[in-house]
């Protein structure tokens, strides 16, 4: 039988790996560009955010603890993150990557793609709970997380 893992009411029942050569090449190019920027002392993203309360600094410190180590000589480090979405949204994501959306607000850290380091939070997006618009599971009762 299949081994199932349950976290806070959500069960991981299946993992499906998708390999997209074009997305892989885009990732490698982006990684190399960031390495170059860091080598020359330039930041990869804007760190001068309006933070009167210190909340954003606190969140960034907590996020820094979730990075995985980098290989010898590399400056960029990886962070495993999750995005919950509907079944209809996952195929375009796997085919073309995430879309750059311009939101009405600038978000907590500015405009950009948002994901989470907490699988349970992404699961709640996958079910539609946090969007207040339910997503339907597939025939097997499964929802989608992109890692």
């Amino acid at each position: 039988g299949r081994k199932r893992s349950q976290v806070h009411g959500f069960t991981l029942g299946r993992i499906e790996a998708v390999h997209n050569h074009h997305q892989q090449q885009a990732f490698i190019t982006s990684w190399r560009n960031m390495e170059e920027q860091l080598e020359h002392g330039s930041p990869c993203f804007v760190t001068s955010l309006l933070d009167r309360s210190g909340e954003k600094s606190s969140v960034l410190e907590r996020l820094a603890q979730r990075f995985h180590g980098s290989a010898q000589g590399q400056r960029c480090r990886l962070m495993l993150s999750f995005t919950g979405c509907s079944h209809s949204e996952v195929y375009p994501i796997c085919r073309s990557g995430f879309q750059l959306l311009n939101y009405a607000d600038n978000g907590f850290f500015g405009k950009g793609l948002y994901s989470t380091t907490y699988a349970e939070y992404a699961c709640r997006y996958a079910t539609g709970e946090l969007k207040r618009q339910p997503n339907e599971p597939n025939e097997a009762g499964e929802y989608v997380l992109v890692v």
Side-chain angles (χ1 to χ4, degrees):
R2 288 185 350 199
K3 184 178 180 181
R4 297 171 92 75
S5 172
Q6 187 164 3
V7 177
H8 303 289
F10 295 98
T11 301
L12 175 62
R14 179 167 63 102
I15 296 174
E16 186 174 326
V18 176
H19 180 255
N20 180 317
H21 178 73
H22 297 291
Q23 291 298 318
Q24 180 182 16
Q25 290 305 310
F27 173 81
I28 290 169
T29 299
S30 188
W31 179 279
R32 287 180 179 151
N33 289 340
M34 285 188 284
E35 282 286 322
E36 239 177 70
Q37 281 182 267
L38 291 170
E39 186 176 319
H40 294 97
S42 302
C44 291
F45 63 96
V46 178
T47 57
S48 59
L49 303 167
L50 184 59
D51 189 19
R52 292 185 184 116
S53 69
E55 182 181 11
K56 291 179 183 180
S57 297
S58 175
V59 170
L60 285 172
E61 286 174 25
R62 286 181 46 206
L63 278 175
Q65 296 169 8
R66 294 187 164 267
F67 276 102
H68 295 276
S70 60
Q72 181 84 22
Q74 292 180 331
R75 292 167 179 83
C76 290
R77 300 182 317 164
L78 296 176
M79 177 185 297
L80 187 63
S81 66
F82 306 90
T83 299
C85 64
S86 69
H87 288 275
S88 64
E89 293 167 325
V90 74
Y91 297 108
I93 290 171
C94 291
R95 188 174 42 256
S96 306
F98 291 103
Q99 290 183 350
L100 293 175
L101 302 174
N102 288 321
Y103 295 98
D105 67 358
N106 283 328
F108 192 71
F109 289 113
K111 291 182 180 179
L113 302 174
Y114 283 81
S115 60
T116 179
T117 58
Y118 295 95
E120 179 185 8
Y121 193 75
C123 286
R124 293 173 66 198
Y125 264 98
T127 63
E129 175 189 345
L130 293 178
K131 297 187 299 184
R132 298 174 194 221
Q133 179 183 2
N135 287 329
E136 294 297 320
N138 66 8
E139 303 80 36
E142 301 169 325
Y143 294 95
V144 179
L145 284 188
V146 177
V147 180

